[in-house]
Amino acid sequence: METLISILVGILVTVAVYLLLSRNLIRVILGTAVLSHAAHLLLITMGGLKKGSAPLLGEGAESYTDALPQALILTAIVISFAVTALLLVLAYRTYKKTATDDLQALRGFEDE
Amino acid sequence: MLTITLSIFIPFLAAIFIPFLYKRIGRHIGWFVIIVPIALFILLASFIPSIANGETYEHTIRWIDSAGIHFTTYLDGLSLIFGLLITGVGSLVILYSIFYLSERESLGRFYVYLLLFMGAMLGVVFSDNLMVLYVFWELTSISSFLLIAFWYHRKKSRYGAQKSMLITVSGGIAMLAGFLMLQFLTGSFSVREIIATIGQYTDEPLFLFAMLLVLLGAFTKSAQFPFHIWLPDAMEAPTPVSAYLHSATMVKAGIYLVARFTPIFGTEMSWLYIVSGGGIFTLFWGSFNAVKQTDLKALLAYSTISQLGLIMSLIGLGSAALNQGADANSILYAQATFAALFHLVNHSTFKGALFMVVGIVDHELGTRDIRRLGGLMAFMPVTFTIALIGSFSMAGLPPFNGFLSKEMFFDALVNARNFDLFDASTIGILFLVVAWIASVFTFVYSMIIVFQTFFGELHIEKLEKQSTREASIGMLIAPSILAVLVVGIFFFPNIIGNYLLRPAMNAVYPTLAGAEGLAPKIYAWHGFESVALWMTVGVVVVGTILYKTLRYWKGIYTVAPMKWSLDSVYNALLETLENGSSFLTRFYMRGYLKDYLVYIFSFFIVSVGAAILLTGSYSFDFSNNAPISLNEYLIVFAMIVAAISILLVKSRKTAMILNGVLGYSIAFLFVVFRAPDLALTQAVVETVTTALFLLAFYFLPEWKKEDSPIRTKVFNGLIAISVGTIVTVLALTVQGNKMFESISSYFEDSYNLAGGKNIVNTILGDFRAFDTMLEVVVLFIAGIGVYTLIKLKVQKEGRDYED
């Protein structure tokens, strides 16, 4: 399972990097979203998968899966959500101001 | 002795008070400033008898103990000569500048810079600690920079200041490196301790580098070839500054350094070659170029370069006394250094006087171009007399002090032919011939100063200020005193020889200290059999002929085109550096986000990829893998398909839905991985994110097809695949090599520790609640950010905030 997820993470990273290298602003933001998916999956995989039951006491389980990566991912999900939201509004403002979402055209002045 | 340490600080303290006094006092502020150097001169002069008796004074203030850097001052014969020159010429220059500069100039600024310089220069010559010496050394560069650009509204002043700053500071940095090497070798920053122990380290490889770097500092400061080019451009400074800094004191800091370090490096053969060879060539080059100058100050600048070369070469030859062993000749060889120190004093007197004379001419007539000047003798008799004394002394004629030191210079060169290391018939002769030719040129330009300025016809219409009157008495006092000294030293040279030069010789040659004949008596007359006398006669005869025929051979100066001059090389170098760096920066700072991302990813690929490959640390261990069921395969397969499809779809809505597929599949995977809280959050966040994306699409244009060329796409694809592969390899390697057990078993006791049964929630709320708090802050800030960005749009209609 870990190997499979690692390969999946690699594919997601590949897709994310390709999107980040794009000229289109929305594609770049989409790239960051995919990249954070990859990071979350990688985090949980590193903790080991399906080693026990869900980390809830009172179920009387023998062993539990690692709870720490789950807490870390929970934090990361919220933060990446906040960042994505901000990026989207930024993109919206950029478009309003410059009337383009092409990053090649958003270079600024020729000789700064 | 605290007095010496204080004498360094007094000018700095005075400099602090000047701005306060300047605004309040109606009189010329220079009258208050001049008290400082006069007091210091008297103070230092009071040490002459005890120093002449062989005493030295030392005082230490502990400064940075851990680094061995202490504020140690040391007064011996060598530093006393320089101290007296700095304060003595300093007093005269300030006296002169009181009459030279009008009240309309910003005098407060001028005297602050000048006092800074004076303090720094005293610091250079009195410091025993290399680091403190370096601090003061750079301070002289900085104050010189400020003084050259005193009239900062002039372009040429700024150019000259920048040039001198660049060259002297580069040399200073090299010198710092040399100092650090010396400290590394000997373990001490103290010059005297290094002198005492350096004998054991002369074979170390660093020793030679230290020597070269220290010499680089000395050569740049003392305007030796090819670093002399800053000095003529520094002539844009007010004339008192040129007289003080660029003839009598700062340019001699390099000479001081070489003399001070002779006991350290003098035993080395290369030291002798570099210092004397460099000096002799500078002597020739400076005197050769001085003849073609039409600006009197530029002429004096080249003459200073040439005379500094003379002194430098003498000190170099003098070091033969150290590396030739203690045979009978070594005392004889040391005479060269004696001549150097003597000429150092003489040069300060006559060159200071000459600069002041040129300043007077400039001040009274508004020009210092010798093509416009002539016939000034009639109405400027005093100025003329001083100029005559200074020039003839510079040319090496009796009865002026320059004659004595020029004779001693020739004597030293004649002696140098006996060196074991020189092939007497070749290099020794070569030195002698070059020096003699240089002296002839010196004679020619000295005559130019006197005859082309003061004789001939007066062309009053060519002058800017058409007045025919002598300068004010006040302006003449300082150069007159110097001129009297020039003559006085000729008649009573042994006063200086005994009281100043002898202790200085002991300082330069600690091993020979006190030896009989180290400081000989100076005679004006050596008898007819003296080679030096006939050389001087030759100089006068050939020099007179050359001067008379000047206009016939002046053409040789135009043989080499301007673009070959060292100045153009310097300018071209600066330009190339600027263009080169700007080209380089433009080459990679292209302003496209994509390019920077490519750099970042490439760096990641190269560093991490190479580290994995080169250390061979990739190793896979699949034994601990959890089993996979069919529906998990399906989820992963769906994700892979969705991810790849994002790249290919034409519509952004499809891409968004595919991203949603990824998000929800991850939520499913979280369920599979026994992470209920994550699954919940992921599902909710994914929903909101998708909604946000769709909202943004309402305002944004439909995305266009990527129309970049296929080559770019392949390149991007390669980078993306490499990054993905490296991440996978890393992930697999890490999983196969767990080094220790997880700490999570501790959290499994959460009910007892925190009173909660949901372990993930207790971690978030109890064990690691700081993370959660700050995560909330992140969310809060993002909310404010979103709000501001949208609000700002409303306000923007009226005003443009970007300007």
Side-chain angles (χ1 to χ4, degrees), chain A residues 42-62:
Chain A
L42 187 63
L43 267 176
I44 200 159
T45 316
M46 289 297 112
L49 297 174
K50 299 201 277 187
K51 290 282 191 301
S53 66
L56 298 166
L57 301 176
E59 302 285 311
E62 289 284 304

Side-chain angles (χ1 to χ4, degrees), chain A residues 1-3 10 14 21-22 24 26-27 37 45-46 50 52 55 57 66 70 74-75 78 93 107 111, chain B residues 586 590 592 594 622 625-627 632 674 681 686 700 706 720 728 735 742 744 757 759 764 775 789:
Chain A
M1 189 77 210
E2 279 89 343
T3 311
T14 308
L21 292 175
S22 151
N24 185 287
I26 289 295
R27 274 201 177 94
H37 287 329
T45 316
M46 289 297 112
K50 299 201 277 187
L57 301 176
D66 200 335
Q70 297 194 12
L74 204 59
T75 312
V78 175
R93 287 287 296 138
R107 184 172 171 259
D111 283 306
Chain B
R586 267 161 216 273
R590 289 221 281 262
Y592 295 118
K594 191 208 134 183
F622 303 119
N625 268 5
E632 289 157 10
R674 322 272 200 270
T681 319
E686 198 54 44
L700 290 174
E706 294 271 293
T728 303
Q735 274 165 42
S742 166
S744 289
K757 290 185 175 174
I759 302 177
L764 288 171
E775 162 205 341
L789 280 169

Side-chain angles (χ1 to χ4, degrees), chain B residues 459-535:
Chain B
H459 298 285
I460 192 103
E461 72 285 351
K462 285 187 184 171
L463 304 175
E464 270 168 40
K465 296 179 186 169
Q466 286 157 0
S467 70
T468 48
R469 56 189 175 83
E470 179 64 284
S472 67
I473 293 178
M475 221 189 279
L476 289 168
I477 297 173
S480 305
I481 294 174
L482 286 173
V484 167
L485 276 175
V486 168
V487 183
I489 291 175
F490 176 80
F491 287 108
F492 307 102
N494 290 311
I495 295 178
I496 288 198
N498 271 333
Y499 286 97
L500 290 177
L501 302 187
R502 198 161 42 81
M505 288 297 283
N506 291 340
V508 179
Y509 298 106
T511 48
L512 301 172
E516 187 69 27
L518 188 61
K521 274 214 166 325
I522 305 165
Y523 296 109
W525 180 250
H526 300 284
F528 283 113
E529 63 273 21
S530 153
V531 184
L533 177 72
W534 293 109
M535 284 175 76

Side-chain angles (χ1 to χ4, degrees), chain B residues 324-642:
Chain B
Q324 296 283 297
D327 64 357
N329 281 336
S330 61
I331 294 285
L332 201 58
Y333 297 147
Q335 302 310 309
T337 304
F338 186 77
L341 295 171
F342 189 44
H343 193 68
L344 178 97
V345 176
N346 294 344
H347 178 249
S348 298
T349 56
F350 66 69
K351 192 53 66 67
L354 281 174
F355 266 109
M356 291 179 187
V357 162
V358 171
I360 289 171
V361 171
D362 192 13
H363 194 262
E364 297 304 315
L365 305 170
T367 184
R368 25 172 231 257
D369 190 331
I370 46 176
R371 290 167 300 188
R372 294 177 175 192
L373 295 168
L376 303 185
M377 188 173 61
F379 58 91
M380 286 184 146
V382 184
T383 316
F384 164 69
T385 314
I386 299 165
L388 185 85
I389 293 172
S391 301
F392 280 18
S393 177
M394 183 156 71
L397 298 176
F400 308 109
N401 56 9
F403 172 73
L404 301 175
S405 37
K406 190 62 74 74
E407 294 273 286
M408 288 161 75
F409 171 53
F410 287 146
D411 272 337
L413 284 169
V414 172
N415 282 337
R417 281 166 54 230
N418 301 328
F419 287 3
D420 293 342
L421 47 141
F422 283 137
D423 191 354
S425 55
T426 53
I427 302 176
I429 292 286
L430 188 72
F431 266 48
L432 203 57
V433 170
V434 172
W436 186 80
I437 295 173
S439 301
V440 172
F441 280 117
T442 307
F443 185 86
V444 173
Y445 71 69
S446 301
M447 294 307 114
I448 289 177
I449 296 175
V450 178
F451 287 100
Q452 302 205 356
T453 314
F454 293 95
F455 285 82
E457 283 172 37
L458 176 65
H459 298 285
I460 192 103
E461 72 285 351
K462 285 187 184 171
L463 304 175
E464 270 168 40
K465 296 179 186 169
Q466 286 157 0
S467 70
T468 48
R469 56 189 175 83
E470 179 64 284
S472 67
I473 293 178
M475 221 189 279
L476 289 168
I477 297 173
S480 305
I481 294 174
L482 286 173
V484 167
L485 276 175
V486 168
V487 183
I489 291 175
F490 176 80
F491 287 108
F492 307 102
N494 290 311
I495 295 178
I496 288 198
N498 271 333
Y499 286 97
L500 290 177
L501 302 187
R502 198 161 42 81
M505 288 297 283
N506 291 340
V508 179
Y509 298 106
T511 48
L512 301 172
E516 187 69 27
L518 188 61
K521 274 214 166 325
I522 305 165
Y523 296 109
W525 180 250
H526 300 284
F528 283 113
E529 63 273 21
S530 153
V531 184
L533 177 72
W534 293 109
M535 284 175 76
T536 307
V537 170
V539 165
V540 174
V541 172
V542 179
T544 313
I545 296 169
L546 278 184
Y547 175 69
K548 287 285 178 198
T549 57
L550 186 59
R551 64 194 139 124
Y552 300 111
W553 56 271
K554 239 188 163 169
I556 58 161
Y557 288 111
T558 50
V559 170
M562 274 302 282
K563 67 175 179 201
W564 287 3
S565 75
L566 282 166
D567 277 316
S568 1
V569 171
Y570 164 84
N571 290 332
L573 189 73
L574 271 195
E575 207 173 315
T576 316
L577 276 176
E578 272 175 30
N579 292 343
S581 55
S582 120
F583 172 78
L584 190 71
T585 314
R586 267 161 216 273
F587 177 72
Y588 74 94
M589 297 291 273
R590 289 221 281 262
Y592 295 118
L593 178 67
K594 191 208 134 183
D595 291 351
Y596 302 136
L597 285 173
V598 167
Y599 302 151
I600 294 169
F601 287 130
S602 308
F603 180 76
F604 175 79
I605 294 167
V606 169
S607 57
V608 180
I612 292 177
L613 274 182
L614 291 179
T615 57
S617 50
Y618 50 91
S619 67
F620 307 126
D621 175 16
F622 303 119
S623 56
N624 284 329
N625 268 5
I628 315 169
S629 63
L630 180 67
N631 54 354
E632 289 157 10
Y633 269 121
L634 282 176
I635 295 172
V636 171
F637 179 71
M639 285 181 76
I640 292 173
V641 172

Side-chain angles (χ1 to χ4, degrees), chain B residues 49 65 162 441 725-726:
Chain B
D65 264 326
Q162 186 212 37
F441 280 117
T725 314
I726 288 175

